[in-house]
Amino acid sequence: MKLSHFPRVRLAHLPTAIEHLPRLSAHLGGPEIWIKRDDCTGLSTGGNKTRKLEFLMAEAGVAGADIVLTQGATQSNHARQTAAAAAKLGMDCHILLEDRTGSNDINYNQNGNVLLDHLHGASTEKRPSGGDLNAELEVVAEDFRAKGRKPYCIPGGGSNTTGALGYVNAALETVTQLNDSGLDIDHFVTATGSAGTQSGLICGLQLINAHLPLLGIGVRAPQAKQEENVYNLACATAERLGVAGGVPRASVVANCDYIGEGYGLPAPSTLEAIDIFARYEGILLDPVYSAKGGAGLIDLVRQKHFRKGQNILFLHTGGAIALTGYLNYFQ
Ligand SMILES: *Cc1c(COP(=O)(O)O)cnc(C)c1O
């Protein structure tokens, strides 16, 4: 397997740091909690999409694209980072924003990631929730082709086998850091949504036989659906990389008990996680993904699923700029 076979543009500040969270660990009174700072990848306030975009934007370049098209929820971090990557590489960017929450709130619709999409020069159009947005992207791409443009479509969340390569690489990076520092992690935890992050990590961990169990905390789909999505993308990515024996189904584990009322709607446990991480460690989680992951982490410590004597590594996937789109939850 050679990751260097795949075209890649450098967009992220790598490697991202792994830090101890002593005050959070003491507050919860369970395992030692560590954090991998993929919120600090450097591109337009950072986040996990930067690693995926290193491979996706390179593929767009090889394809000769002059405009990238993508889609996401109104406060999509993926949309914002794609807009920033396109700006940096001198391409245009057009985004379909799906109204998944039905919110009329001005901050939700104009602040946070939406503000940044536009600052990076992307054009956006709204779509009602429930359609097949990746299929609609293809329709929009045809319109651009008819106008003589060369569009390149990036699926929601950047989650295809190309985007997942960013997290294959992140798994190799993380295990190297742990080996170098002699840190023995018992469990790796991440928020999981469009599945590229978890799928890429599973492939990378499998590839190097890391024996590091990974738990995805779901933000949208029910558990069976989430695990199926992750497994399918992990298998496809493993095949593309030639991972011998593929990925075991048992390595795909999602817990979807912390979604609350739905995608993009913070639950009380989400807001509590934001509060605890901010007050005990000076770390900002986001209300859609990392705080639902954080809420799962906190609850699994309280339930003694993660126990004293263990070391738990939480992947901070970024997104805190969306807090300003959710001001009404903090008043
Ligand atoms: C997109 C995103 C995730 C989820 O990653 P997927 O690869 O879509 O599963 C987690 N956290 C943040 C902040 C994100 O923007």
Side-chain angles (χ1 to χ4, degrees), residues 48-49 52 77-78 157 159 191-197 286 289-290 317-319:
N48 66 336
K49 303 311 180 304
K52 302 178 181 186
N77 301 302
H78 163 69
S159 286
T192 182
S194 65
T197 302
D286 83 282
Y289 297 95
S290 56
T317 43

Side-chain angles (χ1 to χ4, degrees), residues 69-85:
L69 311 181
T70 197
Q71 57 96 355
T74 304
Q75 281 294 335
S76 168
N77 301 302
H78 163 69
R80 175 249 310 164
Q81 289 186 73
T82 304

